[in-house]
Amino acid sequence: MKSRRLLPDRSWILAVVMAGLVFAGVLIGSFIRSTDNSFICSLASKKFRAAAEYASTPAQLQAIVHYATSRTTPQQNIDEISITLDVFRSRSFAPANFLVFGLGFDSLMWSALNPKGKTIFLEEDPSWVKSVLKDAPLLHAHTVQYRTQLKEADGLLNSYRKEPMCSPAKASLDGNYACPLALTGLPDEVYSTEWDLIMIDAPRGYFPEAPGRMAAIFSAAVMARARKGPGVTHVFLHDVDRKVEKTFAEEFLCRKYLVKGVGRLWHFEIPPAANMTGQDENSWFC
């Protein structure tokens, strides 16, 4: 234990230092007020703005702690994750609207990559949503009810063109019960938001009664084509090694818009329908 006799000596040194800092602060403040030095003020302003811009958000801090202390790993591998990361980098991490189908071990990571933007997760299992949000309450998630089953995939693919409300010219999502592939009944904020990035890594699609990703892929294509703002919609589809994911991607997201594929992930850049060439009211998605 340190001797208390050392404290007075250190206290006077601290007092001198503090006095010096106060005096320096007063002196600098007087200098700025008296000289109206806009250059110094602008530098200070830029530094404060930069600090605010790069300050860690609660979601980022929670993600760091979570992945540093957890044995669980994201569903995607590092090469697959890097594709999405590269898109955020290309945007200089500007705030984005990011829609993620699925809520899981990678959700904190996706949210942390978009700290100033809107990230919403859509999940089929209410109990799983409750479980995840218990440990990560900062995540923004909604429960989704799907009207499809994986065993219906072939029939849906072969019959959807017979339904006019499934055609690109008429397809919508909100309240479009005529098209079985349209995701109806989503929260209003999902329909009203123009999404910059859409990640499809759910719902489940590995047993016959599972919802499958048919509706998620179709709905992502409809959202992307309806874009009014500049640029493209980045759509990421995981598990393309499976037949349904690959087949529906080629039908609705289109090979011509596929820009990169790594492992089991495909990355599409889909332009708004207004910017598509060779499209008319009789055209289909691809």
Side-chain angles (χ1 to χ4, degrees), residues 190-251:
V190 176
Y191 295 129
S192 62
T193 301
E194 196 161 88
W195 299 103
D196 302 303
L197 299 89
I198 301 176
M199 172 69 69
I200 305 172
D201 207 356
R204 292 171 296 173
Y206 51 86
F207 59 95
E209 291 73 27
R213 298 182 186 172
M214 303 83 70
I217 293 170
F218 174 87
S219 297
V222 172
M223 292 177 186
R225 293 171 64 93
R227 185 181 183 88
K228 298 293 191 297
V232 299
T233 303
H234 298 271
V235 179
F236 309 91
L237 175 62
H238 198 223
D239 296 319
V240 294
D241 56 320
R242 302 194 302 212
K243 176 186 175 182
V244 169
E245 278 79 356
K246 181 179 180 181
T247 303
F248 275 73
E250 292 174 338
E251 181 72 17

